[in-house]
Amino acid sequence: MDTPTLPVLERIASALERLSPPPATLEGVDTADAFVWLPERGRLLPIPYVAHVPVDLLRGVDLQRKILIENTEHFARGLPANNAMLWGARGMGKSSLAKGAHALANQVAGKPCTPGKGAIALIEIQREDLATLPLLLSLLRENPRRFILFCDDLSFEKEDRDYKALKSVLDGGIAGRPENVLFYATSNRRHLMPRDMIENERATAISPSEATEEKVSLSDRFGLWLGFYTCEQDTFADMVRSYARARNLTIADEDLMARANEWAITRGSRSGRVAFQFIEDLTAELAEH
């Protein structure tokens, strides 16, 4: 080989080395109790503070709250626990309950204020990164900490194949689900896929009963399947009053509810999210006077 070509090849090799992703690692896993999984970097991004609503402020979801908190606390104590799917109406506290249950479990474990010392670490994974779950699990399996993998707003479209990676995780595969890992997900769809897609595939498939079974049955692989439903007027009022008391807002109840109902009408719905947004606006308004 000609000597002049060697520097060129060395530069090419150096460039390829820079472009190749670094080896995946759990470096820094003891620095926080919440992370975001960055598969392109093979790293966990520490999140010093998880934005969540205290679970005792959530209204209209008493049974769901009780079940999920118990499941999470069992997991924190090293007892058997189930993967959980929280599905249903928008704005009714699915994500807030999942994050709040994690925070409460760490408080019950007696280590709420020391970063990286909580009984459970929460790891958020984006829906588009589900294909990297096997890599992440291989890292978590050998770590002494306990982890909840959290995927918010989970759903699948017709040509989506990432559900197979999730199904493998829920089923455990050959290696089995790591004993120190749970999977919590939220979705607005009961079966994680649009109803028209289910009906269309059943109508056009050679074997309609099998056409969507693999995708639809994915939701059945969650040990806990908790439904969240649109709230009634009384529940909405309870939500508003609960948030107002937590903020120590000085306002007559009649005026509070009149304004809350007007706010809900302009949003076209009643939910915990709408109630919280109303209280945010009202808190700022009252602070100006």
Side-chain angles (χ1 to χ4, degrees):
M1 181 178 296
D2 296 338
T3 301
T5 64
L6 288 176
V8 176
L9 293 176
E10 289 175 352
R11 288 197 297 271
I12 293 175
S14 177
L16 291 175
E17 185 176 348
R18 289 194 300 271
L19 290 174
S20 63
T25 177
L26 288 185
E27 181 181 357
V29 73
D30 294 325
T31 62
D33 289 328
F35 304 86
V36 173
W37 170 237
L38 303 177
E40 69 281 0
R41 295 169 54 187
R43 297 291 190 276
L44 293 174
L45 176 67
I47 305 299
Y49 173 76
V50 178
H52 70 276
V53 176
V55 292
D56 59 346
L57 291 182
L58 299 177
R59 294 292 187 269
V61 292
D62 292 349
L63 180 59
Q64 299 92 323
R65 176 174 54 198
K66 177 179 181 294
I67 293 174
L68 193 69
I69 287 176
E70 287 181 351
N71 189 68
T72 310
E73 290 180 353
H74 287 166
F75 181 61
R77 292 159 52 196
L79 299 174
N82 280 301
N83 299 309
M85 165 58 68
L86 289 67
W87 69 274
R90 293 177 173 85
M92 283 303 294
K94 300 185 295 295
S95 299
S96 294
L97 181 54
K99 292 182 287 187
H102 162 255
L104 184 60
N106 279 349
Q107 290 176 0
V108 170
K111 300 175 181 178
C113 300
T114 306
K117 299 300 182 181
I120 305 173
L122 184 70
I123 300 178
E124 183 176 34
I125 181 170
Q126 302 301 320
R127 197 216 63 79
E128 57 268 23
D129 294 329
L130 289 178
T132 67
L133 271 174
L135 171 62
L136 179 56
L137 288 182
S138 69
L139 297 173
L140 301 180
R141 186 183 299 274
E142 304 302 325
N143 194 277
R145 294 198 74 177
R146 305 183 76 75
F147 302 92
I148 291 178
L149 303 186
F150 176 58
C151 185
D152 197 20
D153 198 18
L154 178 62
S155 63
F156 299 101
E157 303 302 331
K158 185 173 182 179
E159 301 302 325
D160 206 326
R161 293 294 179 265
D162 287 342
Y163 71 91
K164 292 186 176 180
L166 177 56
K167 182 180 177 183
S168 177
V169 170
L170 299 178
D171 284 343
I174 295 177
R177 174 171 62 84
E179 182 273 338
N180 64 330
V181 176
L182 277 188
F183 191 89
Y184 283 4
T186 71
S187 179
N188 295 324
R189 298 171 178 173
R190 184 173 184 177
H191 291 297
L192 304 179
M193 53 192 294
R195 181 177 297 275
D196 59 346
M197 172 183 164
I198 297 175
E199 295 174 349
N200 180 64
E201 290 196 14
R202 283 176 175 164
T204 59
I206 296 176
S207 178
S209 63
E210 297 179 0
T212 57
E213 181 178 356
E214 187 173 25
K215 291 180 182 177
V216 173
S217 66
L218 178 61
S219 58
D220 294 335
R221 286 167 168 77
F222 288 89
L224 295 182
W225 203 34
L226 306 177
F228 291 68
Y229 307 94
T230 303
C231 68
E232 302 296 333
Q233 175 61 35
D234 289 346
T235 303
F236 179 70
D238 192 20
M239 292 171 174
V240 170
R241 292 185 176 111
S242 175
Y243 287 136
R245 286 193 299 269
R247 296 285 181 90
N248 295 316
L249 299 184
T250 304
I251 182 173
D253 185 72
E254 182 177 355
D255 188 20
L256 174 69
M257 292 315 307
R259 298 175 66 168
N261 290 330
E262 181 180 2
W263 181 278
I265 291 173
T266 64
R267 297 305 183 274
S269 67
R270 293 188 297 261
S271 69
R273 179 180 297 143
V274 170
F276 183 79
Q277 291 170 343
F278 163 68
I279 293 297
E280 288 278 270
D281 184 78
L282 181 61
T283 301
E285 180 182 332
L286 294 178
E288 293 178 345
H289 294 85

